């Protein structure tokens, strides 16, 4: 992570804003665009093309797994840290050469998708989509690494904000333009035009300044005698285990067992395929099956990379160092504070991740689907952009640690605003206030977390360590979020039975009759009790955020400085 040891004075407000006009920030806008474009094209827009071609929803859903690579990118991030691109690296540097390679391959992949008929060549299109997903995830690894290595800590907030702005612009374009073009020129032409838009990212790479000198940490295997046949067989066995572990781990992280079920079906274990699908989809406990998949897959990968006891081999040495050294480096640099920092990353946005029942909440309150869509998609998007920009400004103006601590308060406070919304009834202005506050807070906290995780990476391990952090921070939230609906309905039932939360029912005495009107039909409780359940849930989600606040203050007070390793 690049730092400015001599920067004793904080910049003024104007200087903090001018960070967004610097060359690196403008380049980051283009790179964010190049990152968001292929993601939506293969994850969302492609499903419209497939449905338009008459394919079943089951087939379309399977295509969504092309983005599984985004959940697993930390597994091949060590390759991005260590391998060079022949010829190009000397010209552009380590990170920019990788970015250029990825963008040209994504352009080619989208062009190949554009030239494919899903009815006649469905398998070929699926292959192209998977390749684009894999290369796009690799591009994300490199962009994050370049961002971290190309700017000082104080400017990481602005870099993260510019990236998110570019990403959102790309998602809007990729979600609207292909659909409009397909009406007049067909899907193939539409995707060909989308492929050419990747040139925006290419221009960004060519205009980007070279990152700080990249250090490749060599893995020494010269002391191990070569055994070509044995090493070849060992590489094949390890990589097979690695892929199997990755598929189980990725299926758990994605919450989709389609690949596992397809694998079981292919080898004749139809009952196992049915069982794993049922376990993954069970409500509300399926998330624990998914978590078990994550743990099991991680263990398989661990043993695939672990040296064979009593036998020193080149594949064992290489894989154990490539995957283990980034973690060992992090713990060595931060010592006893490393566990505390990882805990902070895991819980920092926990209060946001548990809000997975918001659409049912809005509908239960009596808002129409159109009202929800207008406020969330229009006002919410604008407020999110403002929150992201505010986060970058505060990091540049007040410093990373202060901003990170302030961001820890953002989620809990915005959740309390939703508790207030529950007592207002279906008032559009109140919905606008709540969603506006939530999106500003979420954008601010997200930018602060990205900048903080960026500051933790070590020289030579930037890509791998950041990929690990970004995969880790949502894992606990996914587990806790599985219980959100149970908490609402459990608190509502307690309120109706005269229990602990019964006093909250008085908050809903004067609300319009359409507020929580379907409570008895859907949850078996009175409208006031369901409102009490939601208020209880939002207070609970805010309390979860207190853990993040406490850890943020503790880390800020300790201010652990990394050792030079």
């Amino acid at each position: 992570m690049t730092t400015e040891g001599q920067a004793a004075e904080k910049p003024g407000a104007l200087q903090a804003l001018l960070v967004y006009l610097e060359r690196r920030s403008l380049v980051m806008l283009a790179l964010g665009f190049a990152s968001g474009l292929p993601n939506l094209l293969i994850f969302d827009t492609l499903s419209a093309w497939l449905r338009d071609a008459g394919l079943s929803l089951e087939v379309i859903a399977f295509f969504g797994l092309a983005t599984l690579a985004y959940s697993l990118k930390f597994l091949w991030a060590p390759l991005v840290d260590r391998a060079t691109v022949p010829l190009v690296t000397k010209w552009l540097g380590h990170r920019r050469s990788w970015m250029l390679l990825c963008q040209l391959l994504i352009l080619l992949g989208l062009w190949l998708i554009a030239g494919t008929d899903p009815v006649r060549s469905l398998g070929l299109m699926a292959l192209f989509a998977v390749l684009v997903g894999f290369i796009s995830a690799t591009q994300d690894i490199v962009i994050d690494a370049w961002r971290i290595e190309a700017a000082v800590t104080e400017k990481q907030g602005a870099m993260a904000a510019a990236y998110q702005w570019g990403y959102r612009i790309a998602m809007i374009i990729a979600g609207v333009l292909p659909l409009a073009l397909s009406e007049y020129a067909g899907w193939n032409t539409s995707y060909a035009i989308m492929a050419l838009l990747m040139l925006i990212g290419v221009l960004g790479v060519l205009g980007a300044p070279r990152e700080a000198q990249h250090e490749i940490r060599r893995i020494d295997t010269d002391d191990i005698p070569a055994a070509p046949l044995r090493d070849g067989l060992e590489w094949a066995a390890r990589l097979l285990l690695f892929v199997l572990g990755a598929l189980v781990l990725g299926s758990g992280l994605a919450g989709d067992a389609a690949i596992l079920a397809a694998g079981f079906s292919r080898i004749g274990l139809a009952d196992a395929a049915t069982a794993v699908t049922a376990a993954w989809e069970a409500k509300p406990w399926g998330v624990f099956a998914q978590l078990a998949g994550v743990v099991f897959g991680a263990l398989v990968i661990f043993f695939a990379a672990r040296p064979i006891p009593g036998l020193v081999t080149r594949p064992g040495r290489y894989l154990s160092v490539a995957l283990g050294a980034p973690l060992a480096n992090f713990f060595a640099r931060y010592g006893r504070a490393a566990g505390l920092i990882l805990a902070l990353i895991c819980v920092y946005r926990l209060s946001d991740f548990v809000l997975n029942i918001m659409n049912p909440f809005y509908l239960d309150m009596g808002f129409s689907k159109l009202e929800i869509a207008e406020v969330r998609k229009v006002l919410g998007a604008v407020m999110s952009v403002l929150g992201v920009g505010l986060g970058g400004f505060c990091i540049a103006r007040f410093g990373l640690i202060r901003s990170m601590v302030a961001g820890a308060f953002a989620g809990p406070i915005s959740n309390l605003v939703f508790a207030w919304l529950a007592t207002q009834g279906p008032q559009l202005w109140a919905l606008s206030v709540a969603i506006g506050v939530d999106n500003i807070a979420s954008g601010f906290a997200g930018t602060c977390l990205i900048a903080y995780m960026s500051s933790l990476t070590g020289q030579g391990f930037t890509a791998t360590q950041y990929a690990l952090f970004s995969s880790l921070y949502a894992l606990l939230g996914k587990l806790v979020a599985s219980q959100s609906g149970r908490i609402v309905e459990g608190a509502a039932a307690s309120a109706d039975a005269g229990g602990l939360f019964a006093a909250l029912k008085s908050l809903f005495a004067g609300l319009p009759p359409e507020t929580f009107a379907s409570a008895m039909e859907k949850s078996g409780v009175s409208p006031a009790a369901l409102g009490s359940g939601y208020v209880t849930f939002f207070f609970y989600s805010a309390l979860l955020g207190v853990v993040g606040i406490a850890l943020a203050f503790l880390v800020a007070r300790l201010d652990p400085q990394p050792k030079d390793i």
Side-chain angles (χ1 to χ4, degrees):
M1 179 70 225
T2 309
T3 58
E4 272 182 341
Q6 71 275 20
E9 295 183 5
K10 298 295 182 185
L14 181 60
Q15 288 176 293
L17 286 173
L18 289 177
V19 172
Y20 288 109
L21 298 180
E22 292 183 358
R23 176 183 173 189
R24 288 175 175 83
S25 298
L26 296 177
V27 165
M28 209 67 221
L29 192 67
L31 296 179
F33 182 91
S35 180
L37 191 72
N39 187 319
L40 198 74
L41 286 175
I42 63 170
F43 181 69
D44 186 83
T45 309
L46 187 61
S47 64
W49 182 359
L50 297 174
R51 190 59 170 172
D52 205 25
L55 297 178
S56 69
L57 293 176
E58 183 178 357
V59 171
I60 293 171
F62 198 79
F63 263 73
L65 294 175
T67 57
L68 190 63
Y70 287 92
S71 300
L72 299 172
K73 59 186 180 181
F74 64 91
L75 294 177
W76 63 91
L79 178 67
V80 177
D81 269 333
R82 296 179 182 278
T84 59
V85 180
L87 302 178
V88 187
T89 297
K90 291 183 178 180
W91 174 41
L92 290 176
H94 190 87
R95 302 303 185 190
R96 292 191 301 166
S97 61
W98 267 99
M99 282 193 286
L100 183 63
L101 174 64
C102 289
Q103 287 168 1
L104 293 177
L105 289 175
I106 292 170
L107 193 157
L108 176 62
L110 292 175
W111 191 269
L112 291 172
I113 289 176
T116 306
D117 182 351
V119 177
R120 296 180 180 179
S121 306
L122 182 62
L124 192 60
M125 178 174 277
L127 175 63
F128 293 151
V130 169
L131 288 175
V132 170
F134 175 79
I135 298 165
S136 183
T138 305
Q139 177 191 225
D140 283 3
I141 295 172
V142 192
I143 290 175
D144 285 330
W146 177 84
R147 170 179 56 78
I148 293 168
E149 294 175 351
V152 297
T153 300
E154 292 76 9
K155 296 182 180 180
Q156 283 300 320
M159 296 283 278
Y163 174 85
Q164 292 177 79
W165 288 338
Y167 196 97
R168 290 171 188 275
I169 292 170
M171 293 191 76
I172 292 171
I173 291 176
V176 175
L177 192 57
L179 294 171
L181 289 173
S182 68
E183 288 290 326
Y184 301 98
W187 282 106
N188 300 86
T189 302
S190 173
Y191 262 70
I193 293 172
M194 291 296 102
L196 293 177
L197 288 180
M198 282 301 299
L199 292 174
I200 293 174
V202 173
L203 292 175
V205 171
L206 297 179
R210 185 187 288 258
E211 73 276 2
Q213 185 64 35
H214 178 71
E215 175 188 347
I216 297 179
R217 309 238 180 174
R218 185 173 180 269
I219 300 176
D220 187 13
T221 58
D222 293 341
D223 60 319
I224 304 174
L229 179 59
R230 184 198 66 192
D231 288 350
L233 292 174
E234 185 181 341
W235 271 116
R238 286 181 181 275
L239 291 178
L240 177 60
L241 281 175
F242 199 84
V243 170
L244 290 175
L247 290 176
V248 178
L249 172 64
S251 297
L253 290 173
D256 194 324
I259 288 182
L260 298 181
F264 282 128
S265 298
R266 183 63 62 90
I267 60 177
L269 299 175
D271 290 341
T274 303
V276 72
T277 301
W280 243 249
E281 296 177 353
K283 302 293 183 183
W285 305 110
V287 68
F288 291 98
Q290 297 165 23
L291 181 63
V294 170
V295 173
F296 179 77
L299 286 174
V300 172
I301 292 169
F302 171 77
F303 285 109
R306 193 173 185 273
I308 301 172
L311 180 62
V312 180
T313 64
R314 292 191 172 191
R317 168 80 62 80
Y318 192 91
L319 280 176
S320 62
V321 173
L323 290 174
L327 275 175
N329 171 270
F330 172 74
F331 279 94
R333 287 189 304 115
Y334 284 97
R336 296 179 179 178
L340 191 66
I341 291 170
L342 292 179
L344 173 61
I345 291 173
C346 286
V347 304
Y348 188 77
R349 300 200 62 194
L350 189 58
S351 58
D352 286 334
F353 287 129
V354 298
L355 299 185
N356 60 334
I357 55 170
M358 296 311 292
N359 277 332
F361 167 61
Y362 300 140
L363 292 170
D364 284 346
M365 282 200 65
F367 292 106
S368 71
K369 295 176 182 177
L370 182 59
E371 288 173 331
I372 297 169
E374 287 176 344
V375 176
R376 293 195 76 178
K377 299 300 183 183
V378 180
L379 178 66
V382 172
M383 294 299 104
S384 180
V385 166
L386 290 176
V388 165
L390 181 61
F393 168 80
C394 287
I395 292 170
R397 178 70 178 86
F398 305 110
L400 174 58
I401 297 300
R402 287 182 180 180
S403 301
M404 184 267 291
V405 172
F409 283 90
I413 290 173
S414 65
N415 289 9
L416 293 178
V417 175
F418 283 122
W420 165 80
L421 172 64
T423 66
Q424 301 304 303
Q427 302 290 330
L428 196 57
W429 68 270
L431 179 66
S432 300
V433 169
I435 288 181
V437 170
D438 179 62
N439 279 271
I440 290 176
S442 179
F444 182 92
T447 301
C448 292
L449 180 60
I450 290 172
Y452 181 65
M453 292 191 300
S454 301
S455 74
L456 300 172
T457 59
Q459 181 68 24
F461 300 114
T462 307
T464 307
Q465 289 176 345
Y466 186 82
L468 281 167
F469 297 150
S470 60
S471 297
L472 180 66
Y473 86 98
L475 192 57
L476 181 60
K478 179 179 179 179
L479 177 64
V480 177
S482 66
Q483 303 304 307
S484 296
R486 292 173 63 87
I487 291 171
V488 172
E489 293 185 341
S494 172
D496 251 355
L500 180 63
F501 308 110
L504 296 175
K505 292 172 66 174
S506 62
L507 297 173
F508 305 92
L511 293 184
E514 65 267 24
T515 308
F516 305 116
S518 59
M520 184 60 69
E521 177 186 349
K522 294 179 179 178
S523 302
V525 295
S526 66
L530 184 58
S532 302
Y534 275 118
V535 169
T536 302
F537 167 73
F538 290 126
F539 273 98
Y540 151 80
S541 65
L543 286 173
L544 289 177
V546 172
V547 180
I549 293 172
L551 284 174
F553 271 113
L554 185 56
V555 169
R557 183 177 180 181
L558 292 175
D559 193 20
Q561 298 299 315
K563 302 174 184 177
D564 291 327
I565 301 287

